[in-house]
Amino acid sequence: MARFAPASAPLIDEPDGVGVVGMPMNFVVDATTHEVTGTLFDLPVTVRFTPTSVLFVHGDGTSRESDDGGRSWATLGLAQFSATSTSHAYSTRGTYTASAAVRYAADANFGGGWITVPGTLEIPTTAGDVQIFEVRTALVDKTCLENPSGIGC
C-alpha cells in the first residue's frame, strides 16, 4: 500500500489569514472520500481513502481534533468571526503558522470486494501564516475626515 496515498487537502482559514485577538478564526479542510487505482503485486487494485478525523494545529501551542473538516461561515449561514466546531480564538497578537493533518482509513479492492487495511494514514495539509491583530475602539464625536486631530486619527 506504500505506493498509494490519499490526496492532500488545503487548509482554508477565514477570514483569509487575518484575525483579531479573542475573536474566532474559522479553519476548514475539505477532505473527501476518494479512490486511487493502480497495481499491487501485478494485480489491479483500487484503494478507497475515507477521512476519519482532522487535527487542526493553530500554531500557538493549541490544537483541536474534529470528526470532519468543518464548514465555511457562508455554508453555515454565519457571520464572520462566529464560533464554529473548527474555529479558534487566539489570545495574543502575532503571526502563527496554522496547519492540519487529515487522518484516513483505507480499504482495498482487488476485484472481489473491499478489504479493510489496518491502521490510519495521517496526511498533512498545506500550512499557512495567520496574522492576529489587536483591535481597540473608542467612541468619538466625529470621523477622522471631519476632525483629523480627533482621538485615534
Side-chain angles (χ1 to χ4, degrees):
M1 294 294 165
R3 289 191 278 164
F4 296 88
S8 179
L11 174 67
I12 299 165
D13 61 80
E14 296 179 313
D16 200 20
V18 177
V20 177
V21 169
M23 297 183 76
M25 285 193 73
N26 191 35
F27 293 97
V28 179
V29 174
D30 188 20
T32 59
T33 298
H34 59 282
E35 296 178 356
V36 177
T37 59
T39 58
L40 186 63
F41 306 119
D42 295 325
L43 298 171
V45 64
T46 301
V47 179
R48 179 176 54 211
F49 296 102
T50 305
T52 60
S53 67
V54 178
L55 176 65
F56 292 92
V57 179
H58 306 118
D60 62 353
T62 66
S63 61
R64 172 183 283 180
E65 188 167 359
S66 175
D67 291 340
D68 64 28
R71 304 283 178 269
S72 70
W73 283 320
T75 300
L76 294 169
L78 297 174
Q80 283 189 350
F81 302 107
S82 295
T84 69
S85 64
T86 58
S87 66
H88 176 65
Y90 291 87
S91 61
T92 57
R93 70 179 181 198
T95 300
Y96 302 93
T97 301
S99 63
V102 181
R103 295 184 177 130
Y104 288 95
D107 299 297
N109 187 340
F110 289 90
W114 293 102
I115 302 165
T116 299
V117 178
T120 58
L121 294 166
E122 189 169 288
I123 304 299
T125 66
T126 55
D129 286 343
V130 293
Q131 292 183 318
I132 306 301
F133 296 97
E134 288 183 22
V135 175
R136 298 170 198 235
T137 61
L139 295 176
V140 294
D141 182 35
K142 296 182 170 124
T143 68
C144 288
L145 292 175
E146 296 168 324
N147 182 8
S149 63
I151 296 172
C153 297

